[in-house]
Amino acid sequence: MHKTRFQWLITGMLLMTMTGCGNDQRILEKIGLTHTTAFDLMPGDMLKVTNSIPLAVDEGRRPREVLTTISDSSKGAKVDLSRQTQLVLVSGQMRNIMFGTTLAQRGFWDDIDTLVRDPSVSPRVKVTVVDGNAHDLLVKKYSNYLRTAQYIDRMMESEMRFQSIPKITLYEFTRDYYDDGIDPVAPIIKDIGDHVKVNGIALFQDDRYLMKIDDQETIFFSMLSKNFKLGSLPMRLSEEGEKKEFVLFDSLVSKRQVHAARAGESSFKVDFEISVSGVILEYMGDLKISKEEDRHALEAKIGEKITSHMETIVKDMQKHNVDSLGLGNAIKLIVPYKEWKAMDWREVYPEVEVHCQAKVKIKHYGKFQ
């Protein structure tokens, strides 16, 4: 008797488990996991919002579903997008948000703020600026890649590992937006036909995109902004018209020190000291870098070039009044709190005296003669 009851109990539990799995499976099939969302500014201050939703590639189904709507707000757009699909749209697996150039130049804090306040959106979602129209890039089909959104996400992860662009998430962008001693930045990507390429770094004043670091200059911005490893630096050392001298400096280890001081009663100076070490993978020129003297000469040449690039970047940022390197945070450490709060940093920043100095060490140079 007891044995029979026990058998019925086990059978009931198994049936309940199987039923639960079936229900879960049916629910998952109805969920649309938004991977990437694109925002563009439209006439009349309207917002074009595009969602890319990956789908299972089987039984002839499309690899993704792309939904687009025009609304006066991102939350209103979400309601409109949900009416275009049989799926229940959720944001828990979102990886990237992209903003078109026009919207970024106007400022997109309202859209960032809405996402930050949404508990279903992870603070680790990446923030990206598109050189052009974000919708057009997201909906485009690239012949070598099944899903455009995943292709862009993986490409950016690869570039971030090698320091060509910073990894900027909702958390980092929001943190720097609220910090009165630094301005936010974000990577820029661009459609180039058959592929998407990293096209530089967007520098913001508050939430407005004001200037760009070109893709060939991003490594120097990285040296100024943080310590890093694994970078790579191809560099032409000769001037136009001179005999070609080229070096590929790889496996970089870059360390920075920032020193702020008063230059007067109401003026300041900031020194960036950058130490860079790495391996020479390729060198074209007249120096014999197996010789210690020539090797030191090459180190000095590379250091001078890096210093020149960094000083140009800093001057351009001061010209556009964007403090993307956090000079304000360095100044805050040497002045009383009341003085900092009373200071108009936007007025002071362009006049700060900034010096950069790069020191280079060649760790290894291969089998050069």
Side-chain angles (χ1 to χ4, degrees), residues 103-115:
L103 179 58
Q105 290 172 338
R106 186 206 67 175
F108 51 62
W109 176 248
D110 288 344
D111 307 303
I112 291 282
D113 183 59
T114 298
L115 292 166

Side-chain angles (χ1 to χ4, degrees), residues 95-138:
R95 294 289 185 267
N96 198 3
I97 52 173
M98 306 194 307
F99 296 93
T101 303
T102 305
L103 179 58
Q105 290 172 338
R106 186 206 67 175
F108 51 62
W109 176 248
D110 288 344
D111 307 303
I112 291 282
D113 183 59
T114 298
L115 292 166
V116 170
R117 293 176 185 276
D118 187 341
S120 69
V121 177
S122 169
R124 293 179 294 178
V125 172
K126 290 185 280 295
V127 178
T128 307
V129 173
V130 175
D131 188 343
N133 187 286
H135 163 83
D136 292 349
L137 187 147
L138 187 58

Side-chain angles (χ1 to χ4, degrees), residues 126-196:
K126 290 185 280 295
V127 178
T128 307
V129 173
V130 175
D131 188 343
N133 187 286
H135 163 83
D136 292 349
L137 187 147
L138 187 58
V139 301
K140 183 173 179 178
K141 296 179 181 179
Y142 294 90
S143 58
N144 294 326
Y145 306 97
L146 193 62
R147 298 185 178 101
T148 300
Q150 283 88 336
Y151 156 52
I152 293 171
D153 187 55
R154 290 167 186 167
M155 177 201 70
M156 292 180 63
E157 287 287 348
S158 175
E159 293 295 321
M160 289 167 186
R161 281 199 300 271
F162 290 97
Q163 313 303 326
S164 62
I165 54 173
K167 184 173 184 177
I168 302 299
T169 65
L170 280 173
Y171 169 78
E172 276 96 9
F173 194 96
T174 304
R175 177 198 63 197
D176 293 345
Y177 174 82
Y178 280 116
D179 192 329
D180 58 357
I182 191 171
D183 284 318
V185 304
I188 306 173
I189 59 175
K190 181 180 182 180
D191 172 36
I192 56 169
D194 293 334
H195 299 280
V196 175

Side-chain angles (χ1 to χ4, degrees), residues 15-34:
L15 287 172
M16 290 174 64
T17 304
M18 292 172 63
T19 303
C21 290
N23 287 337
D24 289 345
Q25 181 65 33
R26 286 194 294 273
I27 290 172
L28 287 173
E29 289 175 353
K30 295 179 181 179
I31 291 177
L33 302 173
T34 300

